[in-house]
């Protein structure tokens, strides 16, 4: 009788310990996954912000007769692709295309119309654009940091067992090529 | 008994070695300068005149006292191959410039050999100092001095402009002879409104995470507490024994998201 009681207590204690550690582990995964999602939404917000800046930018150079129409077409096309992109990978790819299209266009315009460098409104938008690019880069880095913390916890033993039970899967890292990640330098000297 | 002691000693030794290995890896990653005791003035490249450094320190301390906002000047000899924007951001985050609950910090970073300046603006001041205005401030008060290698005068002018813009943001009187920056841009209002919306969005997300992470009671308490206690970050005014009349300052834990503007000169 005594032995039976001890066995029951032992089993109950074991189950309780497992349940408590499972809960803690599960909540840990939830927190880390939420951090990843937050970082991801920050990226989207900043990408949207940049897309919204482009029409203003175009307006600021409207006064110049032919503001490099061919390179601008590439920008508008890339921009609509970003808007239509589905999922993180596609969005990343489309926005990388937009990055380079904007770079090419801005360089073309600035080269063709050096006097723009003295245009206050143009400068202001140039700063806004560069700042937004920088925010995107920072948001992507923050996302990768959060993703790394989360992925590590999903893969490491013994957490990996809990992650497997509850279906927490690794998230993808944001991998940008160097050119897409670089902030365009603005040189007004 | 002896055996056990030996084993314990061996385990402890292994742990110590492991720990030191871990911290080695960490310290190798972050190679940022540590803030000086004056916090608002960190003239590592020694380009500021003593008078200008004092003026910056005094107005920085006054701004901090009046608004809790923190604006720090950092001059370095070289960026060590880093992007100026990244360097300034890392300093802002690592030092915790600005109050934790307001994220109202500004980092003004100048690299002497790279001939580059970058102003990184914390989340909470992105409305007061949008990128375009920040760039304009550099153009108006800094560039002409910087091209003549007069870094001290340029930094002082920029610092003064930023301090005054922050005062205006907090509904206070700027210095008498300060002309508020007016950035000519139709998009400006729209963009700043958007920025305010973004910071609110981020704030709401953070609150939601806090509440879900810490449960209702803990979350609300943790979030509410800094509102009352987070404002003042004075450190031992009068008991540290330093010669500064304000005592020494340190960062309040503000965060940065990559906003700001920079120039090469």
């Amino acid at each position: 009788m005594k032995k039976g009681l001890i066995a029951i207590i032992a089993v109950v204690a074991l189950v309780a310990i497992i349940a408590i550690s499972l809960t803690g582990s599960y909540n840990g995964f939830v927190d880390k996954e939420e951090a990843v999602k937050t970082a991801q939404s920050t990226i989207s917000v900043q990408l949207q912000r940049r897309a919204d800046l482009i029409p203003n930018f175009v307006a600021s150079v409207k006064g110049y007769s032919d503001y490099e129409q061919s390179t601008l077409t590439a920008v508008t096309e890339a921009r609509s692709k970003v808007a239509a992109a589905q999922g993180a990978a596609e969005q990343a790819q489309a926005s990388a295309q937009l990055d380079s299209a904007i770079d090419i266009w801005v360089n073309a315009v600035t080269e063709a119309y050096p006097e723009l460098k003295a245009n206050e409104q143009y400068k202001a938008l140039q700063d806004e654009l560069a700042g937004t690019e920088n925010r995107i880069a920072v948001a992507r880095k923050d996302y990768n940091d959060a993703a790394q913390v989360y992925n590590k916890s999903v893969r490491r033993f013994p957490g990996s067992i809990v992650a497997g039970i509850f279906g927490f899967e690794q998230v993808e890292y944001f991998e940008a090529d160097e050119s897409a990640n670089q902030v365009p330098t603005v040189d007004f000297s | 008994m002896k055996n056990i002691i030996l084993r314990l000693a061996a385990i402890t030794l292994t742990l110590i070695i492991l720990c030191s290995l871990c911290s080695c890896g960490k310290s190798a990653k972050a190679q940022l300068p540590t803030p000086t005791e004056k916090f608002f003035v960190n003239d590592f490249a020694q380009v500021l005149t003593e008078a200008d450094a004092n003026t910056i320190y005094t107005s920085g301390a006054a701004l901090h006292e009046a608004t809790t906002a923190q604006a720090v000047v950092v001059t370095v000899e070289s960026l060590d191959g880093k992007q100026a924007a990244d360097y300034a951001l890392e300093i802002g985050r690592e030092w915790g410039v600005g109050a934790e609950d307001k994220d109202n910090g500004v980092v003004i970073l100048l690299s002497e050999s790279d001939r580059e300046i970058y102003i990184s603006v914390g989340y909470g001041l992105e409305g007061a100092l949008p990128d375009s205005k920040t760039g304009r401030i550099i153009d108006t008060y800094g560039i002409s001095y910087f091209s003549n290698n007069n870094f001290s005068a340029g930094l002082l002018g920029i610092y003064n402009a930023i301090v005054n813009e922050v005062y205006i943001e907090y509904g206070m009187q700027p210095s008498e002879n300060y002309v508020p920056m007016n950035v000519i841009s139709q998009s400006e209002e729209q963009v700043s409104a958007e920025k305010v919306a973004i910071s609110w969005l981020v704030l709401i997300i953070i609150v939601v995470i806090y509440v879900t992470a810490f449960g209702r009671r803990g979350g609300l308490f943790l979030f509410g507490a800094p509102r009352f206690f987070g404002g003042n970050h004075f450190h031992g005014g009068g008991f540290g024994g330093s010669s500064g009349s304000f005592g020494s300052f340190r960062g309040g834990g503000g965060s940065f998201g990559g906003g700001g503007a920079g120039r090469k000169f």
Side-chain angles (χ1 to χ4, degrees), chain A residues 31 34-35 38 41-42 45-46 48-50 52-53 56 59 120-125 127-132 134-136 138-139 141-142 145 182-183 185-189, chain B residues 83 85-86 89 93 118 123 126 130-133 135-136 139 183-188 190-191 194-195 198 201-202 205 209 212-213 256-265:
Chain A
D31 291 352
E34 264 335 285
T38 311
S41 73
T42 315
V45 168
Q46 295 300 344
Q48 185 57 47
R49 185 172 179 274
R50 179 179 57 183
D52 293 344
L53 277 172
N56 294 330
E120 287 299 341
Q121 196 187 359
Y122 181 79
K123 268 199 215 177
L125 280 158
D127 276 330
E128 291 290 343
L129 201 58
T132 308
N134 195 37
R135 285 190 188 84
I136 293 169
V138 170
K141 208 188 139 283
D142 289 346
D145 289 346
Q182 230 160 41
V183 186
T185 40
V186 188
D187 190 355
F188 293 127
S189 54
Chain B
Q83 298 264 351
D86 295 343
L89 177 91
R93 286 184 170 179
Y118 196 90
Y123 285 122
E126 285 186 359
D131 307 338
S132 49
K133 195 188 268 183
R136 185 93 190 278
D139 288 338
V183 179
I184 310 157
S185 163
Q186 290 142 3
S187 73
E188 197 54 53
Q190 187 194 335
V191 169
E194 203 180 305
K195 262 181 204 156
I198 289 166
L201 193 78
V202 170
I205 291 169
I209 289 170
T212 47
F256 290 69
R263 292 285 186 274
K264 288 179 179 244
F265 46 84

